Amino acid sequence: MVDFIKEAETIQQQVVLWRRDLHQCPELLLDLPKTSAYVERELQKMGYETERICQSGLTTVLDSGKPGKTPLLRADMDALPIQEESGLPYASRTPGVSHACGHDTHMAILLGAARLLHEHRHEFCGKIKFMFQPGEEGGGGARLMIQSGILENPKVDACMGFHQVVARDHLPTGTVGYTKGAMMASADIFQIRVYGKSAHGASPESGVNPIQILTQIYSAIQVIECAEKPRSAQLALTIGQINAGKAGNVIPETGYMCGSIRAYEESVRELAKQRLAEISTQTAEMFGGRAEVIFTSELPATVNDDTVGEEMFGYVKELLGKEQTKILPPIMGSEDFGEVLKEVPGVFFRISLGDKQEGYPYISHNAKVIFNEDGMKNAVAAFAYCAVKWLNAHQTM
């Protein structure tokens, strides 16, 4: 078997160069012309034939020439609307945009794995599909790529991805974390629009105040989390914005509030969404107004398949040893790789790129976040090792 750790170390300088190039030209959502073109060029230099799929999406297939199954390896490509304050010499050159979530590291890691796997394509049976995805930070990129056929031709049998984690306690650089079952929550972003009747503040009885309705709805929906969900279930229903009116002496015609619902279990998620709509509309009617609930973004939970997850984590432990692997608890953050995991059994790992004790105090989505590039080689090696081991363990006749 190839020593993928040693192989990853030999290309670490190239992986870091890819990461820094991509870090300097971040782009948002689905509009990634420079990023996608860069990744495509690098893949073609390795000998891959690439295919554009949906807006800014990119895929390629590595064929061993021998029959077998097809796993998919994924990296996301989009950045965040955050002005970088890292002070790095290779910081973002795009004002107000940066790779504060580390998707530049994800792309570089998968490019590294693609290079190693191409060099050792005779070591396995079957095919490997690569998914470079736009629009993870909004835009529904994973769903768009699925709708565009990323999981077909060849049909994908399993999937795997990595997400960086930084500024955690006691998670040294290069440690790979695994969570059995649900590892990240669903995320349903909503707006509750309330329609009342405008009136002068001197005669409130002639109007229907949407602000009153909004405050009543806000109070009423708290019952979902505190009294209606199953006791053992996790649920976070958060209101982050309320807006209505322009003057202190005028009852406005309309108002709205925005928030999110996060859960690990689909049944809890659906209960919260249903009750949010029922409570909002019924409360508005009780006060003489009208309300509608609009979900502006909907993501399922990211749930690791027990069989594929345990098998792949076993390979990671073989590769890195127990000291560089760890079972991690689920988190309430969300990831649209959950869309892929709904369709294909697979696993989503976390790779530490710096913990607090090592001098990395800022978490993802912080303008000052810095990632320890030394940890990327472990993810490069793990991608390649797991793909080869899984394919050879699931050979078809």
Side-chain angles (χ1 to χ4, degrees):
M1 183 67 175
V2 178
D3 186 343
F4 281 112
I5 289 290
K6 185 175 291 185
E7 295 270 326
E9 289 173 348
T10 64
I11 66 165
Q12 170 70 356
Q13 187 174 355
Q14 176 63 71
V15 172
V16 169
L17 177 62
W18 284 326
R19 185 259 163 159
R20 294 185 180 185
D21 283 349
L22 290 162
H23 189 84
Q24 294 178 72
C25 58
E27 297 170 300
L28 297 173
L29 298 172
L30 301 169
D31 189 19
L32 315 177
K34 295 178 182 177
T35 304
S36 190
Y38 182 95
V39 172
E40 185 171 44
R41 273 196 312 272
E42 295 306 310
L43 288 169
Q44 289 173 350
K45 288 178 187 176
M46 299 175 202
Y48 285 96
E49 294 183 5
T50 56
E51 177 187 354
R52 296 294 183 102
I53 178 170
C54 78
Q55 185 181 353
S56 297
L58 190 65
T59 187
T60 187
V61 176
L62 178 59
D63 191 344
S64 70
K66 294 172 282 188
K69 292 185 178 291
T70 303
L72 176 144
L73 309 181
R74 175 265 201 173
D76 40 12
M77 301 192 293
D78 55 324
L80 288 163
I82 295 174
Q83 177 66 42
E84 183 168 351
E85 299 175 13
S86 67
L88 293 168
Y90 53 88
S92 169
R93 296 176 180 174
T94 307
V97 183
S98 67
H99 272 297
C101 197
H103 294 184
D104 54 333
T105 68
H106 301 167
M107 288 182 279
I109 287 166
L110 190 53
L111 282 170
R115 175 168 165 174
L116 295 187
L117 288 164
H118 193 275
E119 291 172 356
H120 298 286
R121 58 192 177 277
H122 304 302
E123 301 286 336
F124 61 87
C125 299
K127 300 179 176 70
I128 299 171
K129 179 172 278 193
F130 298 88
M131 175 182 180
F132 288 89
Q133 179 210 311
E136 194 283 319
E137 301 287 356
R143 176 51 49 186
L144 286 173
M145 291 196 80
I146 291 168
Q147 291 170 347
S148 300
I150 187 68
L151 302 181
E152 305 298 331
N153 300 317
K155 181 181 178 297
V156 171
D157 300 295
C159 62
M160 178 179 169
F162 272 96
H163 199 295
Q164 62 72 29
V165 58
V166 67
R168 286 284 298 271
D169 288 312
H170 311 298
L171 201 67
T173 294
T175 303
V176 173
Y178 167 65
T179 304
K180 185 178 176 65
M183 67 163 294
M184 300 181 80
S186 58
D188 296 296
I189 311 301
F190 62 83
Q191 184 180 94
I192 303 173
R193 296 179 182 175
V194 171
Y195 304 90
K197 181 181 178 183
S198 182
H200 195 283
S203 53
E205 73 280 359
S206 63
V208 175
N209 195 335
I211 297 175
Q212 180 186 27
I213 296 171
L214 285 166
T215 58
Q216 293 292 330
I217 291 173
Y218 178 84
S219 296
I221 61 176
Q222 305 307 313
V223 73
I224 302 171
E225 189 173 351
C226 69
E228 294 190 350
K229 72 171 181 64
R231 293 297 85 208
S232 60
Q234 295 290 318
L235 174 68
L237 197 166
T238 305
I239 299 296
Q241 181 184 20
I242 298 180
N243 191 297
K246 295 181 179 179
N249 64 342
V250 178
I251 293 173
E253 190 81 18
T254 64
Y256 66 88
M257 67 172 73
C258 300
S260 65
I261 296 171
R262 296 176 185 269
Y264 296 127
E265 300 173 38
E266 187 65 22
S267 60
V268 176
R269 176 193 183 198
E270 291 304 320
L271 170 68
K273 293 172 72 174
Q274 177 186 333
R275 292 295 291 135
L276 180 76
E278 291 172 350
I279 291 171
S280 299
T281 56
Q282 291 170 13
T283 301
E285 290 172 2
M286 184 170 63
F287 287 92
R290 180 172 65 86
E292 62 176 340
V293 177
I294 299 167
F295 287 95
T296 57
S297 175
E298 298 174 280
L299 284 179
T302 302
V303 182
N304 289 327
D305 180 79
D306 286 349
T307 302
V308 175
E310 293 292 329
E311 182 178 357
M312 293 293 198
F313 190 51
Y315 297 146
V316 174
K317 286 188 285 188
E318 288 177 8
L319 179 74
L320 300 178
K322 291 184 179 180
E323 68 280 359
Q324 287 193 296
T325 57
K326 190 169 184 178
I327 300 293
L328 296 179
I331 59 174
M332 273 289 176
S334 62
E335 231 290 347
D336 79 349
F337 192 59
E339 297 277 18
V340 182
L341 288 168
K342 276 183 66 177
E343 306 293 332
V344 177
V347 62
F348 200 50
F349 291 119
R350 283 176 266 183
I351 177 73
S352 175
L353 296 184
D355 79 350
K356 289 182 180 179
Q357 287 72 30
E358 297 170 337
Y360 294 87
Y362 300 108
I363 64 172
S364 300
H365 290 225
N366 187 297
K368 296 180 180 180
V369 66
I370 294 176
F371 304 103
N372 187 347
E373 296 167 331
D374 289 343
M376 294 193 297
K377 60 180 176 289
N378 279 5
V380 170
F383 253 145
Y385 186 78
C386 288
V388 171
K389 290 284 286 189
W390 188 86
L391 278 168
N392 288 339
H394 296 269
Q395 293 184 36
T396 58
M397 299 301 292

